[in-house]
Amino acid sequence: MSEVVYRDLNDKVILVTGATRGIGKKIACSLAEQGAHVVFNYRGDDAAANALKDELTSIGGKASALKFDVTDTETMKSAIKDFTAEHQITGLVNNAGISKDQLILRLKEEDLQQIIGTNLNAAIMLTSILSRNFLKAKDVSVINVSSVVGLMGNASQVPYAASKAGLIGFTKSYAKELASRNVRCNAICPGFIETDMTQSLDDKVIESYKSVIPLSRMGSGEDVAALCMFLLSKASSYITGEVIKIDGGLYI
Ligand code: NDP
């Protein structure tokens, strides 16, 4: 249970993409703890989605599941249209993402398209689709889940780092464009967080990362979720267009 209560999250309807595992799931669970209506997106695993719905409801939130692949714009549009016909979405976390590490000399164009398509283009499209709905709300907070590698770069991650750097340009532009309508938009840059995405790395790589993290540990999904609760709530109402690292000091 979170130690901090953001009372205004109780009235919020917040969409989190890629939420049946990893960081997205922790964000969804933290929102449910705050009493929010969590609208979680997933692309395939109905059993995992049903289990998450039950979990979120048992924690204390309301839960709705939206099934779409974020790269399938037409299905995404129709799911959002149906949902917003009945509900006003007041927060969005563009979390769904993929990584495929490879040396630039071995880069396959299809991988490049898939990484940029999922991590960057889909986040822009979804935010665009929701923007009309956002204009009708009183205040809205959007979070783009970028990465420290979008700031510092990383060998073998050219497309991934480029997609995450792209999210930062998107965040700042969108924040400027919609600030007058009380829509805020911030990017977060997690460092090395314990999830399936990092579990596949071998132990030596994990140890070498830990040795350069001043706080000497990998982050948890809960660490990231705690920052998201702050950014989604009115506690951060004067923060927009910001890029916040959450990396244990990795990129100081
Ligand atoms: P995981 O691989 O654990 O989870 C990724 C999630 O995104 C899954 O739920 C996955 O769904 C979903 N997803 C991927 N592609 C799509 C798609 N096309 N449509 C819908 N959903 C999709 O990753 P993490 O939880 O570690 O990462 C979450 C975010 O945080 C990502 O954007 C990642 O880049 C970013 N990040 C992670 C860091 C880390 O150290 N873990 C560090 C910095 C940033 P499915 O279950 O169907 O595959």
Side-chain angles (χ1 to χ4, degrees):
M1 179 76 189
S2 164
E3 285 169 24
V4 187
V5 177
Y6 296 103
R7 289 185 208 291
D8 63 303
L9 290 181
N10 204 21
D11 296 330
K12 298 273 181 178
V13 182
I14 296 174
L15 172 57
V16 184
T17 62
T20 47
R21 61 192 173 93
I23 292 172
K25 184 173 179 183
K26 297 295 180 194
I27 296 170
C29 290
S30 294
L31 281 168
E33 281 179 9
Q34 300 282 348
H37 181 164
V38 188
V39 189
F40 68 87
N41 152 255
Y42 72 107
R43 61 175 160 171
D45 189 343
D46 294 322
N50 286 333
L52 181 59
K53 204 168 175 181
D54 291 345
E55 188 176 344
L56 296 174
T57 314
S58 73
I59 295 171
K62 273 193 224 145
S64 303
L66 295 188
K67 184 174 182 176
F68 56 81
D69 185 313
V70 293
T71 62
D72 177 352
T73 305
E74 287 316 308
T75 311
M76 182 159 77
K77 254 189 200 162
S78 126
I80 296 295
K81 192 175 165 210
D82 291 348
F83 186 80
T84 52
E86 308 263 325
H87 303 275
Q88 171 71 65
I89 294 182
T90 47
L92 167 66
V93 184
N94 282 310
N95 165 77
I98 52 166
S99 67
K100 269 190 190 181
D101 297 1
Q102 56 199 309
L103 297 170
I104 193 74
L105 292 174
R106 298 204 182 130
L107 180 69
K108 294 195 191 86
E109 189 180 359
E110 67 196 72
D111 290 338
L112 173 65
Q113 307 285 15
Q114 202 190 355
I115 294 167
I116 303 278
T118 306
N119 297 0
L120 178 61
N121 297 358
I124 296 175
M125 274 319 300
L126 176 57
T127 310
S128 163
I129 291 165
L130 277 166
S131 289
R132 244 177 244 294
N133 180 266
F134 287 164
L135 295 184
K136 294 184 209 140
K138 264 201 266 150
D139 64 293
V140 172
S141 173
V142 177
I143 298 175
N144 291 322
V145 182
S146 176
S147 165
V148 278
V149 308
L151 297 168
M152 63 193 249
N154 204 19
S156 305
Q157 288 199 313
V158 166
Y160 181 76
S163 71
K164 295 300 183 179
L167 282 175
I168 292 172
F170 155 38
T171 299
K172 293 183 178 184
S173 304
Y174 190 74
K176 283 189 172 176
E177 194 165 325
L178 289 195
S180 65
R181 311 299 294 264
N182 274 332
V183 179
R184 298 184 294 114
C185 181
N186 293 288
I188 63 167
C189 294
F192 197 42
I193 311 296
E194 237 164 324
T195 67
D196 294 347
M197 196 177 263
T198 44
Q199 211 168 29
S200 54
L201 298 170
D202 78 40
D203 289 350
K204 274 195 193 143
V205 176
I206 293 182
E207 281 315 310
S208 75
Y209 268 115
K210 277 193 198 163
S211 70
V212 292
I213 298 173
L215 288 180
S216 307
R217 66 168 176 93
M218 289 174 76
S220 66
E222 285 86 354
D223 290 325
V224 180
L227 173 60
C228 291
M229 295 308 103
F230 169 69
L231 289 174
L232 289 167
S233 81
K234 66 179 180 196
S236 59
S237 62
Y238 203 49
I239 300 178
T240 195
E242 197 50 76
V243 180
I244 301 177
K245 287 179 281 148
I246 173 154
D247 67 348
L250 173 64
Y251 187 41
I252 293 177

